[in-house]
């Protein structure tokens, strides 16, 4: 009996080609065992098995029935499992390259940062909109003055003058706050 007849038994006639549903119903357990033997963890096996059957759906018309369908499924499973392992290894390498998170700040550090942010916000609130944008882009975001001028469509000399004024006011603001804290 041809392989397709062995494949499907009484479900289909030997001359009818198998459907993906037939192949899945008959061989999903086999494919599941294969991908696990090829190094796919049980938690990932379902996804890999479905990927195998996506390939089967695309390539089923190529299956001519001369060999056992299990051999064909094994070859597909081996390729999909290898792709899974390579992808998993790439992801693991990317994760290894990520720096570990910084240790959490202490409550004192959090309070100091909130206080500093509040002071900066109160300083920025004193500036007119244009000067504030220039100061934020240059001294907070790190843009150069020519970049700020292009971003805001302003004359470079205007940016330089406004930034100089903002910095002078900021230094006075900080000095004033520091003098009020001294015992």
């Amino acid at each position: 009996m041809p392989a397709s007849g062995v494949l499907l038994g009484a479900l289909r006639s030997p001359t009818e080609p198998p459907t993906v549903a037939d192949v899945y119903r008959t061989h999903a357990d086999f494919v599941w065992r294969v991908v696990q033997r090829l190094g796919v963890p049980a938690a990932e096996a379902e996804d890999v098995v479905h990927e195998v059957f996506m390939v089967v759906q695309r390539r089923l018309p190529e299956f001519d029935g001369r060999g056992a369908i299990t051999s064909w499924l094994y070859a597909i499973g081996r390729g999909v499992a290898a792709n899974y392992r390579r992808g998993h290894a790439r992801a693991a390498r990317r994760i290894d390259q990520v720096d570990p998170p910084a240790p959490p700040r202490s409550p004192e550090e959090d309070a100091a940062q909130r206080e500093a942010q509040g002071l900066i916000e109160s300083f920025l609130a004193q500036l007119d909109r244009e000067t504030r944008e220039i100061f934020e882009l240059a001294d907070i975001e790190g843009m150069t003055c020519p970049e700020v001028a292009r971003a805001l469509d302003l004359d470079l000399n205007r940016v330089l003058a406004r930034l100089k004024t903002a910095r002078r006011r900021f230094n006075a603001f900080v000095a004033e706050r520091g003098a009020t804290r001294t015992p």
Side-chain angles (χ1 to χ4, degrees), residues 126-146:
Q126 298 174 8
L127 301 175
D128 64 85
R129 188 182 66 76
E130 184 178 270
T131 304
R132 179 180 176 144
E133 284 181 310
I134 292 168
F135 184 80
E136 287 174 337
L137 291 175
D139 284 0
I140 296 175
E141 297 300 329
M143 292 174 70
T144 65
C145 288

Side-chain angles (χ1 to χ4, degrees), residues 95-144:
I95 289 171
D96 288 344
Q97 293 174 355
V98 173
D99 291 333
R105 293 188 308 248
S106 70
E108 294 81 17
E109 290 170 322
D110 281 341
Q113 180 158 0
R114 281 192 304 277
E115 182 181 353
Q117 286 172 333
L119 287 172
I120 296 295
E121 282 300 321
S122 66
F123 168 73
L124 293 173
Q126 298 174 8
L127 301 175
D128 64 85
R129 188 182 66 76
E130 184 178 270
T131 304
R132 179 180 176 144
E133 284 181 310
I134 292 168
F135 184 80
E136 287 174 337
L137 291 175
D139 284 0
I140 296 175
E141 297 300 329
M143 292 174 70
T144 65

Side-chain angles (χ1 to χ4, degrees), residues 53-69:
F53 281 98
M54 296 291 287
V55 174
V56 168
Q57 180 177 12
R58 196 174 60 246
R59 293 181 49 199
L60 191 57
E62 299 170 15
F63 180 69
D64 60 11
R66 284 187 283 161
I69 196 157

Side-chain angles (χ1 to χ4, degrees), residues 19-29 32 46 49-50 53 56:
T19 66
V20 174
D22 294 332
V23 176
Y24 184 85
R25 237 185 334 273
T26 309
H27 297 289
D29 289 340
W32 184 283
E46 183 176 358
V49 168
H50 287 141
F53 281 98
V56 168

Side-chain angles (χ1 to χ4, degrees), residues 6 146 166:
V6 171

